[in-house]
Amino acid sequence: SAVISQKPSRDICQRGTSLTIQCQVDSQVTMMFWYRQQPGQSLTLIATANQGSEATYESGFVIDKFPISRPNLTFSTLTVSNMSPEDSSIYLCSVEGQGGYGYTFGSGTRLTVV
Amino acid sequence: AQSVTQPDIHITVSEGASLELRCNYSYGATPYLFWYVQSPGQGLQLLLKYFSGDTLVQGIKGFEAEFKRSQSSFNLRKPSVHWSDAAEYFCAVGSKAAGNKLTFGGGTRVLVKP
């Protein structure tokens, strides 16, 4: 399976600022997924990013708040914009596995907004 | 829409005892099913997956799961729990019809008593 490097592993940010999270994969993949895990909660899909096209966002998530880039088949970024304490979460990227189903996850970025 | 329910929020088990975690899904066709484990402060690790074929699936770390279509269940089992199995366990469902996205259950936190 693919190996994912996700950075930063954690950060503490001031409200109103933005943070960009990077996800690097050791092999080419078509689909990449970004998830959010709020404290004590399960994972919720933010968006699906395919190379060469706009990301597809899930209900409740918008591009202005979570812009995503996917410049090539091994890399993606998620930006959390104009942060508030409610954005404090773990953000994880995931890449497709067998049959096109994302099943390998990065180690996550633990974000705290103060 | 696909959904996943993990009825047990917490389970406490003695070391050496057996463990069973419940997962029920809602989906019209045959879904693709996964179990992940998340240790404290860690990312998600895939334990096992079911796409088709044999309904009893073997995974890593001595875990297995059984797909029961009639009960819409995919319960995870381990015959003898080790202290290192203390973690959060997530069941997830995916499907092509849902755009290859994963929907996660709420998770079950497993505590292991010495």
Side-chain angles (χ1 to χ4, degrees), chain A residues 31 33 35 37 42-43 45 48 58 92 98 100-103 105-107 110, chain B residues 32 34 36 38 43 46 49 51 90 94-96 99-102 104-106:
Chain A
M31 302 178 75
F33 306 86
Y35 289 85
Q37 186 179 22
S42 185
L43 282 79
L45 182 65
T48 303
E58 297 300 300
L92 301 103
Q98 178 184 342
Y101 286 84
Y103 73 86
F105 284 80
S107 55
R110 184 179 295 272
Chain B
Y32 301 101
F34 306 82
Y36 290 87
Q38 186 178 38
L46 178 70
K49 59 186 182 291
F51 284 174
F90 294 97
S95 68
K96 290 184 179 179
N100 295 350
K101 299 174 292 190
L102 292 185
F104 283 81

Side-chain angles (χ1 to χ4, degrees), chain B residues 16-85:
Chain B
S18 63
L19 174 69
E20 181 167 12
L21 304 182
R22 296 185 289 166
C23 173
N24 294 100
Y25 68 89
S26 174
Y27 185 64
T30 299
Y32 301 101
L33 296 158
F34 306 82
W35 274 100
Y36 290 87
V37 61
Q38 186 178 38
S39 298
Q42 303 296 310
L44 269 74
Q45 182 179 24
L46 178 70
L47 287 175
L48 47 78
K49 59 186 182 291
Y50 173 78
F51 284 174
S52 64
D54 193 346
T55 56
L56 184 62
V57 181
Q58 301 298 320
I60 62 171
K61 302 185 178 186
F63 285 93
E64 67 178 24
E66 186 171 12
F67 170 60
K68 292 186 177 180
R69 184 191 303 274
S70 60
Q71 299 177 18
S72 298
S73 69
F74 189 57
N75 294 349
L76 181 72
R77 298 191 294 256
K78 185 169 185 177
S80 178
V81 169
H82 187 261
W83 64 266
S84 60
D85 293 322

Side-chain angles (χ1 to χ4, degrees), chain A residues 1 5-6 16 18 22 24 26-27 30-31 35 37 39 41 43 45-46 50 57 65 82 84 90 96 108:
Chain A
S1 60
S5 174
Q6 187 174 336
S18 298
Q22 300 179 2
Q24 178 75 53
D26 68 345
S27 58
T30 303
M31 302 178 75
Y35 289 85
Q37 186 179 22
Q41 302 295 314
L43 282 79
L45 182 65
I46 297 172
N50 290 336
Y57 289 82
K65 176 67 175 177
N82 188 25
S84 67
I90 299 173
E96 65 176 310

Side-chain angles (χ1 to χ4, degrees), chain A residues 3 7 11 30 43 45 50 70 77 86 95-97 107 111:
Chain A
V3 176
K7 331 190 264 192
D11 207 341
T30 303
L43 282 79
L45 182 65
N50 290 336
R70 184 78 203 277
T77 67
E86 291 71 34
V95 300
E96 65 176 310
S107 55
L111 170 62

